Amino acid sequence: MVDFQIDDTVDITDVVCPLTFVKAKVAIEELEDGKVLSVKLNDGEPVQNVPRSLKEEGHQVLKLINNGDGTYNLLVKKVEE
C-alpha cells in the first residue's frame, strides 16, 4: 500500500449537488501543483461523479478509500494546468 502525503482536506459529505463539484473544484484550485487533496464524500452519486469530474479536468485520481460508514476519501493530485 502506498501512503500519500495529504496537503489539504475538504469535506463535502451532506453537501447537495452541484455544490459537491464546486467545493471540490475550489479546494483543488487553491492547492499548488503536485499537492494532494483528500475529498471526503458520500456513497452514491458523489462517489460516482466527483472523481470523474476532477479527472476530466486533468487532475490525477490517486486512490478512493472506503471508510466503511457510507463515506469515502478520494485522494487527488493537482496536475499543472
Side-chain angles (χ1 to χ4, degrees):
M1 182 175 133
V2 178
D3 286 321
F4 300 101
Q5 158 136 10
I6 295 169
D7 300 293
D8 199 6
T9 304
V10 63
D11 185 345
I12 58 172
T13 57
D14 304 322
V15 176
V16 183
C17 204
L19 282 178
T20 49
F21 295 106
V22 174
K23 286 187 81 166
K25 189 174 177 180
V26 167
I28 200 151
E29 283 176 358
E30 290 174 349
L31 283 182
E32 294 175 31
D33 294 334
K35 299 287 185 180
V36 176
L37 175 68
S38 174
V39 183
K40 186 172 184 184
L41 40 100
N42 290 327
D43 197 0
E45 204 172 301
V47 95
Q48 293 164 11
N49 295 327
V50 172
R52 185 178 63 230
S53 169
L54 290 171
K55 199 171 186 177
E56 283 172 359
E57 290 187 14
H59 303 295
Q60 183 181 358
V61 173
L62 301 173
K63 190 168 191 174
L64 184 64
I65 303 160
N66 186 337
N67 296 322
D69 62 358
T71 67
Y72 289 79
N73 278 74
L74 173 71
L75 302 186
V76 185
K77 184 175 185 177
K78 181 172 181 177
V79 175
E80 195 176 339
E81 293 178 24

